[in-house]
Amino acid sequence: KKMTDATAKRVAQELVQELGYEDIKSMSLFVSDYAAKNPTELFPEAFMEYYSGKELRGNKKKIVEAIMKKMYFK
């Protein structure tokens, strides 16, 4: 099922509050520049980071794992 912009913004805002970031853009920048441009892209970008095989660290790890838990591993 395709994620709408409204759903992406709602879920991203939930994550901002849960993780204690100032706003969606400041949180998304830890995932990628592309994710910071559009909240809808935050989720596929996080998915790609998670499955890339690269070691995630720090804020990126915390954000990507929170997204994966919320969106993909309910």
Side-chain angles (χ1 to χ4, degrees):
K1 187 174 178 181
K2 185 176 178 181
M3 180 181 285
T4 65
D5 286 345
T7 300
K9 287 177 184 172
R10 179 183 54 76
V11 174
Q13 190 58 47
E14 288 173 9
L15 286 162
V16 164
Q17 292 173 349
E18 289 171 17
L19 299 174
Y21 286 92
E22 186 176 323
D23 56 27
I24 294 170
K25 185 172 183 171
S26 65
M27 180 183 72
S28 299
L29 281 169
F30 286 104
V31 176
S32 74
D33 291 336
Y34 189 57
K37 292 177 184 175
N38 183 341
T40 306
E41 296 302 326
L42 175 62
F43 303 99
E45 287 288 297
F47 184 84
M48 299 255 314
E49 287 289 327
Y50 188 82
Y51 281 104
S52 71
K54 293 185 252 175
E55 182 179 356
L56 301 175
R57 297 179 185 182
N59 288 326
K60 182 181 251 186
K61 178 180 172 66
K62 178 173 74 170
I63 293 164
V64 168
E65 287 179 349
I67 289 169
M68 295 303 291
K69 184 177 180 183
K70 185 175 268 305
M71 299 303 300
Y72 301 106
F73 298 122
K74 287 187 173 188

XYZ file of all heavy atoms in Angstrom:
602
model
N 0.842 -1.178 0.000
C 0.000 0.000 0.000
C 0.883 1.235 0.000
O 1.820 1.342 0.769
C -0.890 -0.027 1.242
C -1.909 1.050 1.261
C -2.839 0.863 2.451
C -3.820 1.982 2.487
N -4.728 1.875 3.615
N 0.568 2.184 -0.859
C 1.356 3.392 -0.999
C 1.115 4.345 0.172
O -0.020 4.560 0.587
C 1.004 4.093 -2.304
C 1.866 5.289 -2.588
C 1.535 5.877 -3.929
C 2.406 7.105 -4.149
N 2.137 7.738 -5.406
N 2.199 4.896 0.690
C 2.092 5.855 1.785
C 1.769 7.233 1.216
O 2.439 7.700 0.308
C 3.406 5.918 2.559
C 3.361 6.911 3.710
S 4.909 7.011 4.616
C 4.824 5.491 5.527
N 0.762 7.871 1.759
C 0.417 9.220 1.313
C 1.313 10.241 2.015
O 1.931 9.943 3.037
C -1.050 9.551 1.646
O -1.205 9.570 3.071
C -2.007 8.538 1.027
N 1.370 11.435 1.454
C 2.147 12.505 2.087
C 1.628 12.796 3.490
O 2.413 13.017 4.408
C 2.082 13.789 1.250
C 2.925 13.710 -0.012
O 3.766 12.804 -0.124
O 2.743 14.574 -0.882
N 0.314 12.792 3.653
C -0.281 13.084 4.964
C 0.120 12.028 5.995
O 0.467 12.361 7.133
C -1.803 13.175 4.854
N 0.099 10.764 5.596
C 0.492 9.688 6.503
C 1.979 9.789 6.837
O 2.378 9.647 7.992
C 0.184 8.309 5.891
O -1.215 8.226 5.643
C 0.605 7.185 6.817
N 2.798 10.055 5.828
C 4.241 10.190 6.052
C 4.531 11.317 7.036
O 5.337 11.154 7.953
C 4.958 10.442 4.728
N 3.877 12.443 6.861
C 4.104 13.572 7.765
C 3.634 13.245 9.179
O 4.305 13.588 10.155
C 3.393 14.812 7.238
C 4.082 15.403 6.037
C 3.333 16.589 5.492
C 4.004 17.087 4.223
N 3.237 18.103 3.546
N 2.504 12.573 9.299
C 1.982 12.213 10.625
C 2.937 11.269 11.342
O 3.292 11.475 12.503
C 0.593 11.583 10.508
C 0.011 11.166 11.861
C -1.330 10.470 11.730
N -1.352 9.337 10.829
C -0.853 8.131 11.113
N -0.299 7.889 12.283
N -0.932 7.155 10.240
N 3.364 10.221 10.654
C 4.257 9.232 11.266
C 5.623 9.857 11.564
O 6.205 9.624 12.628
C 4.391 7.981 10.374
C 5.421 7.017 10.932
C 3.040 7.289 10.233
N 6.137 10.682 10.653
C 7.416 11.348 10.881
C 7.324 12.267 12.102
O 8.245 12.320 12.919
C 7.852 12.130 9.645
N 6.204 12.979 12.235
C 6.037 13.859 13.394
C 5.964 13.053 14.690
O 6.500 13.466 15.719
C 4.784 14.723 13.230
C 4.666 15.819 14.262
C 5.853 16.773 14.261
O 6.287 17.249 13.232
N 6.398 17.026 15.429
N 5.332 11.890 14.647
C 5.301 11.005 15.818
C 6.728 10.615 16.216
O 7.077 10.623 17.394
C 4.504 9.736 15.525
C 3.018 9.926 15.419
C 2.294 8.663 14.961
O 2.927 7.576 14.887
O 1.100 8.761 14.655
N 7.539 10.289 15.222
C 8.925 9.904 15.482
C 9.738 11.068 16.039
O 10.560 10.879 16.928
C 9.578 9.355 14.209
C 9.124 7.964 13.809
C 9.472 7.681 12.356
C 9.750 6.922 14.712
N 9.509 12.272 15.516
C 10.187 13.467 16.024
C 9.916 13.610 17.513
O 10.837 13.826 18.314
C 9.724 14.735 15.257
C 10.104 16.006 15.999
C 10.297 14.741 13.852
N 8.670 13.461 17.900
C 8.295 13.598 19.304
C 8.862 12.453 20.147
O 9.390 12.678 21.230
C 6.780 13.679 19.445
C 6.219 14.966 18.863
C 4.707 14.998 18.827
O 4.048 13.993 19.052
N 4.157 16.155 18.527
N 8.767 11.231 19.642
C 9.257 10.071 20.385
C 10.766 10.115 20.597
O 11.260 9.712 21.650
C 8.888 8.777 19.649
C 7.422 8.442 19.686
C 7.062 7.278 18.771
O 7.956 6.512 18.350
O 5.857 7.141 18.459
N 11.494 10.601 19.583
C 12.955 10.585 19.643
C 13.552 11.904 20.134
O 14.757 11.995 20.340
C 13.529 10.224 18.271
C 13.130 8.837 17.746
C 13.631 8.649 16.319
C 13.657 7.744 18.657
N 12.704 12.926 20.283
C 13.159 14.189 20.852
C 13.891 15.119 19.914
O 14.737 15.897 20.354
N 13.561 15.087 18.627
C 14.172 16.020 17.683
C 13.330 17.288 17.571
O 12.167 17.316 17.959
C 14.345 15.360 16.306
C 15.476 14.373 16.325
C 15.239 13.039 16.609
C 16.781 14.785 16.116
C 16.279 12.126 16.683
C 17.821 13.882 16.179
C 17.573 12.558 16.457
O 18.601 11.663 16.531
N 13.943 18.338 17.015
C 13.270 19.632 16.894
C 12.158 19.601 15.853
O 11.082 20.138 16.061
C 14.294 20.704 16.529
C 13.743 22.101 16.510
C 14.824 23.126 16.236
O 15.957 22.966 16.721
O 14.520 24.089 15.518
N 12.442 18.972 14.703
C 11.462 18.897 13.623
C 11.818 17.740 12.691
O 12.835 17.074 12.874
C 11.364 20.223 12.855
C 12.697 20.696 12.290
O 13.581 19.854 12.019
O 12.864 21.915 12.122
N 10.961 17.530 11.690
C 11.155 16.406 10.764
C 12.468 16.553 9.997
O 13.224 15.587 9.848
C 9.960 16.274 9.803
C 8.699 15.889 10.586
C 10.247 15.237 8.717
C 7.408 15.970 9.779
N 12.749 17.750 9.508
C 13.953 17.939 8.695
C 15.216 17.652 9.498
O 16.120 16.980 9.007
C 14.003 19.347 8.120
C 15.154 19.539 7.179
C 15.098 20.859 6.465
C 16.247 20.941 5.479
N 16.158 22.077 4.607
N 15.291 18.162 10.728
C 16.497 17.923 11.523
C 16.696 16.437 11.803
O 17.829 15.954 11.836
C 16.466 18.727 12.823
O 15.429 18.306 13.664
N 15.614 15.697 11.994
C 15.712 14.260 12.197
C 16.095 13.561 10.887
O 16.975 12.702 10.862
C 14.378 13.701 12.710
C 14.401 12.201 12.935
S 12.811 11.533 13.466
C 11.860 11.662 11.954
N 15.459 13.946 9.798
C 15.666 13.296 8.502
C 17.082 13.464 7.973
O 17.585 12.606 7.249
C 14.669 13.828 7.475
O 13.352 13.567 7.888
N 17.738 14.568 8.309
C 19.109 14.797 7.847
C 20.067 13.710 8.311
O 21.070 13.441 7.648
C 19.605 16.167 8.311
C 19.107 17.351 7.495
C 19.432 18.656 8.204
C 19.694 17.333 6.095
N 19.759 13.058 9.417
C 20.611 11.962 9.884
C 20.463 10.730 8.999
O 21.350 9.883 8.964
C 20.295 11.601 11.339
C 20.808 12.600 12.317
C 19.948 13.488 12.919
C 22.154 12.652 12.630
C 20.418 14.420 13.829
C 22.646 13.580 13.538
C 21.765 14.469 14.138
N 19.343 10.614 8.290
C 19.130 9.470 7.402
C 19.761 9.754 6.047
O 20.581 8.979 5.559
C 17.623 9.146 7.272
C 17.392 8.016 6.280
C 17.041 8.795 8.635
N 19.374 10.852 5.414
C 19.971 11.255 4.137
C 19.493 12.652 3.764
O 18.465 13.118 4.260
C 19.601 10.278 3.012
O 18.261 10.454 2.608
N 20.239 13.297 2.869
C 19.821 14.609 2.365
C 18.496 14.487 1.619
O 17.640 15.367 1.703
C 20.871 15.199 1.430
C 22.139 15.595 2.156
O 22.075 15.842 3.380
O 23.198 15.665 1.513
N 18.333 13.398 0.881
C 17.108 13.177 0.117
C 15.906 13.029 1.053
O 14.843 13.578 0.798
C 17.284 11.937 -0.756
C 16.184 11.705 -1.759
C 15.865 12.672 -2.700
C 15.486 10.511 -1.778
C 14.860 12.460 -3.630
C 14.481 10.290 -2.707
C 14.179 11.267 -3.631
O 13.182 11.052 -4.542
N 16.083 12.326 2.145
C 14.994 12.149 3.116
C 14.586 13.483 3.729
O 13.417 13.700 4.033
C 15.410 11.177 4.205
N 15.529 14.381 3.897
C 15.241 15.680 4.504
C 14.421 16.578 3.580
O 13.769 17.503 4.037
C 16.535 16.375 4.889
N 14.423 16.282 2.283
C 13.684 17.103 1.323
C 12.197 16.781 1.288
O 11.396 17.611 0.879
C 14.270 16.930 -0.079
C 15.653 17.497 -0.219
C 16.206 17.243 -1.595
C 17.641 17.740 -1.668
N 18.268 17.425 -2.941
N 11.829 15.560 1.679
C 10.436 15.142 1.571
C 10.164 14.057 2.611
O 10.774 12.996 2.558
C 10.185 14.595 0.160
C 8.757 14.193 -0.076
O 7.984 13.982 0.855
N 8.396 14.061 -1.324
N 9.237 14.300 3.547
C 8.961 13.297 4.579
C 8.575 11.927 4.025
O 8.865 10.912 4.643
C 7.793 13.906 5.360
C 7.868 15.356 5.120
C 8.437 15.512 3.738
N 7.967 11.885 2.861
C 7.593 10.603 2.270
C 8.829 9.769 1.954
O 8.793 8.544 2.024
C 6.763 10.815 0.988
O 5.653 11.666 1.297
C 6.226 9.516 0.438
N 9.937 10.421 1.624
C 11.170 9.709 1.280
C 11.940 9.224 2.502
O 12.838 8.403 2.384
C 12.070 10.600 0.418
C 11.477 10.958 -0.915
C 11.121 9.749 -1.757
O 11.824 8.720 -1.685
O 10.131 9.828 -2.494
N 11.591 9.716 3.678
C 12.275 9.279 4.895
C 12.174 7.767 5.082
O 13.149 7.114 5.449
C 11.663 10.003 6.105
C 12.167 9.585 7.483
C 13.657 9.856 7.629
C 11.372 10.309 8.564
N 11.034 7.208 4.798
C 10.781 5.791 5.061
C 11.502 4.860 4.093
O 12.195 3.943 4.536
C 9.274 5.551 5.143
C 8.670 6.437 6.194
C 8.039 7.619 5.860
C 8.802 6.121 7.540
C 7.537 8.472 6.835
C 8.302 6.966 8.521
C 7.672 8.131 8.170
N 11.425 5.072 2.760
C 12.222 4.202 1.882
C 13.723 4.398 2.054
O 14.491 3.445 1.931
C 11.756 4.562 0.469
C 11.003 5.825 0.584
C 10.538 5.943 1.993
N 14.143 5.625 2.363
C 15.566 5.865 2.603
C 16.040 5.099 3.841
O 17.126 4.524 3.839
C 15.831 7.361 2.772
C 15.736 8.155 1.492
C 16.899 7.897 0.559
O 18.048 8.189 0.917
O 16.650 7.387 -0.555
N 15.242 5.100 4.885
C 15.590 4.351 6.097
C 15.637 2.854 5.806
O 16.539 2.150 6.268
C 14.587 4.642 7.212
N 14.681 2.373 5.029
C 14.641 0.964 4.646
C 15.925 0.589 3.900
O 16.555 -0.433 4.190
C 13.407 0.716 3.771
C 13.210 -0.724 3.400
C 12.569 -1.592 4.262
C 13.654 -1.203 2.181
C 12.367 -2.922 3.916
C 13.468 -2.537 1.833
C 12.822 -3.391 2.707
N 16.342 1.440 2.950
C 17.558 1.169 2.165
C 18.795 1.172 3.075
O 19.674 0.332 2.914
C 17.714 2.212 1.061
C 16.571 2.208 0.083
S 16.861 1.498 -1.514
C 18.377 2.161 -2.025
N 18.848 2.110 4.012
C 19.978 2.150 4.947
C 20.020 0.880 5.796
O 21.081 0.304 6.021
C 19.886 3.372 5.859
C 20.190 4.677 5.181
C 21.660 4.827 4.827
O 22.533 4.322 5.560
O 21.945 5.456 3.790
N 18.871 0.461 6.275
C 18.783 -0.709 7.148
C 19.275 -1.968 6.445
O 19.983 -2.784 7.016
C 17.338 -0.883 7.602
C 17.146 -1.933 8.665
C 17.383 -1.628 10.002
C 16.715 -3.211 8.345
C 17.196 -2.582 10.992
C 16.525 -4.173 9.333
C 16.772 -3.857 10.650
O 16.597 -4.795 11.621
N 18.896 -2.119 5.181
C 19.242 -3.335 4.438
C 20.504 -3.210 3.596
O 20.853 -4.134 2.876
C 18.064 -3.770 3.568
C 17.021 -4.485 4.392
C 15.842 -3.848 4.756
C 17.229 -5.780 4.844
C 14.891 -4.500 5.544
C 16.295 -6.429 5.627
C 15.137 -5.783 5.965
O 14.213 -6.424 6.753
N 21.215 -2.095 3.707
C 22.405 -1.894 2.875
C 23.586 -2.751 3.313
O 24.513 -2.976 2.540
C 22.828 -0.424 2.901
O 23.377 -0.101 4.175
N 23.553 -3.190 4.563
C 24.673 -3.973 5.077
C 25.734 -3.108 5.733
O 26.665 -3.623 6.339
N 25.608 -1.777 5.618
C 26.547 -0.873 6.271
C 26.216 -0.803 7.760
O 25.060 -0.900 8.149
C 26.448 0.533 5.692
C 26.898 0.658 4.265
C 26.860 2.109 3.838
C 25.714 2.298 2.879
N 25.503 3.679 2.499
N 27.250 -0.626 8.570
C 27.020 -0.476 10.008
C 26.452 0.912 10.276
O 27.006 1.919 9.849
C 28.319 -0.646 10.782
C 28.130 -0.553 12.274
C 29.407 -0.754 13.052
O 30.447 -1.039 12.431
O 29.355 -0.622 14.269
N 25.315 0.948 10.954
C 24.696 2.216 11.322
C 25.150 2.593 12.719
O 25.228 1.744 13.602
C 23.169 2.085 11.287
C 22.563 1.686 9.949
C 21.065 1.479 10.098
C 22.854 2.723 8.890
N 25.425 3.874 12.918
C 25.907 4.334 14.219
C 25.171 5.590 14.663
O 24.596 6.296 13.854
C 27.399 4.650 14.137
C 28.232 3.463 13.825
C 29.679 3.827 13.744
N 30.428 2.655 13.329
C 31.720 2.625 13.190
N 32.424 3.701 13.436
N 32.320 1.529 12.812
N 25.236 5.845 15.942
C 24.746 7.091 16.520
C 23.298 7.396 16.208
O 22.432 6.525 16.269
N 23.066 8.660 15.866
C 21.710 9.120 15.601
C 21.075 8.394 14.416
O 19.888 8.101 14.434
C 21.685 10.628 15.354
C 21.915 11.418 16.616
O 21.500 11.018 17.697
N 22.588 12.540 16.499
N 21.862 8.135 13.379
C 21.321 7.434 12.211
C 20.787 6.067 12.623
O 19.685 5.686 12.247
C 22.373 7.281 11.127
C 21.829 6.593 9.874
C 22.907 6.445 8.822
C 22.613 7.392 7.706
N 23.527 7.234 6.562
N 21.540 5.344 13.416
C 21.111 4.020 13.874
C 19.808 4.123 14.668
O 18.869 3.370 14.429
C 22.214 3.390 14.731
C 21.859 2.034 15.310
C 23.042 1.505 16.134
C 22.738 0.276 16.901
N 22.457 -0.913 16.201
N 19.761 5.056 15.613
C 18.575 5.234 16.456
C 17.337 5.549 15.604
O 16.277 4.949 15.806
C 18.835 6.370 17.461
C 17.670 6.684 18.358
C 18.030 7.690 19.439
C 18.169 9.074 18.865
N 18.286 10.118 19.896
N 17.485 6.447 14.645
C 16.354 6.865 13.814
C 15.919 5.737 12.887
O 14.732 5.417 12.793
C 16.720 8.125 13.010
C 16.917 9.307 13.963
C 15.637 8.446 11.984
C 17.632 10.492 13.338
N 16.862 5.133 12.191
C 16.525 4.068 11.236
C 15.860 2.901 11.964
O 14.848 2.362 11.500
C 17.778 3.619 10.443
C 17.508 2.331 9.681
C 18.213 4.722 9.488
N 16.388 2.506 13.094
C 15.783 1.395 13.831
C 14.382 1.743 14.335
O 13.487 0.902 14.310
C 16.692 0.960 14.973
C 17.910 0.224 14.461
C 18.865 -0.222 15.546
O 18.732 0.201 16.708
O 19.765 -1.012 15.204
N 14.165 2.986 14.761
C 12.830 3.405 15.196
C 11.840 3.389 14.037
O 10.695 2.954 14.185
C 12.892 4.799 15.814
N 12.289 3.830 12.868
C 11.426 3.814 11.679
C 11.084 2.381 11.291
O 9.931 2.062 11.014
C 12.096 4.551 10.503
C 12.127 6.060 10.789
C 11.379 4.258 9.184
C 12.992 6.854 9.837
N 12.089 1.530 11.277
C 11.843 0.142 10.884
C 10.863 -0.518 11.850
O 9.961 -1.238 11.434
C 13.165 -0.627 10.828
C 14.108 -0.131 9.751
S 13.411 -0.165 8.089
C 13.311 -1.925 7.836
N 11.024 -0.271 13.127
C 10.124 -0.851 14.117
C 8.701 -0.346 13.925
O 7.742 -1.119 13.976
C 10.636 -0.521 15.515
C 9.827 -1.164 16.609
C 10.423 -0.877 17.972
C 9.606 -1.525 19.059
N 10.107 -1.199 20.379
N 8.559 0.947 13.715
C 7.232 1.552 13.581
C 6.546 1.143 12.277
O 5.354 0.878 12.255
C 7.348 3.080 13.640
C 6.001 3.787 13.634
C 6.138 5.265 13.812
C 6.068 5.773 15.200
N 4.932 5.446 16.007
N 7.300 1.093 11.185
C 6.682 0.905 9.869
C 6.686 -0.530 9.361
O 5.785 -0.920 8.636
C 7.390 1.788 8.836
C 7.309 3.267 9.134
S 5.622 3.897 9.283
C 4.967 3.509 7.677
N 7.698 -1.281 9.681
C 7.862 -2.569 9.019
C 7.784 -3.781 9.933
O 7.554 -4.883 9.458
C 9.195 -2.586 8.258
C 9.292 -1.496 7.220
C 10.089 -0.380 7.418
C 8.541 -1.565 6.053
C 10.154 0.625 6.465
C 8.605 -0.572 5.098
C 9.412 0.526 5.309
O 9.471 1.515 4.366
N 8.028 -3.615 11.205
C 8.073 -4.767 12.087
C 7.055 -4.691 13.202
O 7.332 -4.991 14.344
C 9.473 -4.914 12.709
C 10.540 -5.140 11.698
C 11.609 -4.254 11.618
C 10.488 -6.194 10.817
C 12.613 -4.458 10.682
C 11.487 -6.406 9.878
C 12.547 -5.524 9.818
N 5.854 -4.283 12.885
C 4.785 -4.174 13.902
C 4.356 -5.544 14.342
O 4.341 -6.483 13.675
C 3.610 -3.405 13.341
C 3.921 -1.934 13.237
C 2.698 -1.188 12.854
C 2.983 0.295 12.930
N 1.829 1.088 12.761
